[in-house]
């Protein structure tokens, strides 16, 4: 898990994104580049399938609503 800034902690709290969801997003998410130096990580259908396969349906259901974060 990467170190997070205070600003990142605040944003996660404001958006209702848990640390476990962030870890899953970073581990299983798909990447896209914004052509300005940033990498966007998001959970598309393939990423959700990998997450269910590796973590189980119960864990996926807990995070499902939070996986729209990027």
């Amino acid at each position: 898990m990467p170190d997070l800034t205070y600003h990142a902690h605040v944003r996660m709290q404001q958006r209702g994104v848990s640390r476990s969801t962030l870890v899953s997003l970073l581990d299983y998410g798909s990447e896209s580049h914004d052509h300005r130096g940033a990498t966007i990580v998001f959970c598309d259908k393939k990423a959700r399938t990998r997450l269910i396969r590796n973590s189980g349906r119960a864990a996926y259901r807990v995070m499902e609503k939070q996986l729209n974060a990027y």
Side-chain angles (χ1 to χ4, degrees):
M1 175 69 195
D3 292 330
L4 297 175
T5 64
Y6 174 76
H7 179 75
H9 283 285
V10 170
R11 289 297 191 181
M12 285 174 57
Q13 188 175 32
Q14 289 171 340
R15 292 181 172 105
V17 176
S18 68
R19 189 176 267 287
S20 62
T21 300
L22 178 62
V23 170
S24 295
L25 185 62
L26 293 173
D27 287 345
Y28 298 105
S30 299
E31 294 183 357
S32 174
H33 298 280
D34 74 349
H35 304 290
R36 289 189 262 164
T39 302
I40 300 168
V41 182
F42 58 96
C43 218
D44 60 2
K45 189 173 183 176
K46 288 181 181 181
R48 289 172 191 259
T49 301
R50 285 191 304 267
L51 180 59
I52 290 170
R53 188 179 327 119
N54 294 320
S55 299
R57 283 209 181 272
Y60 175 77
R61 283 191 192 121
V62 170
M63 293 182 264
E64 186 174 13
K65 290 182 181 179
Q66 298 178 34
L67 291 175
N68 291 328
Y70 60 93

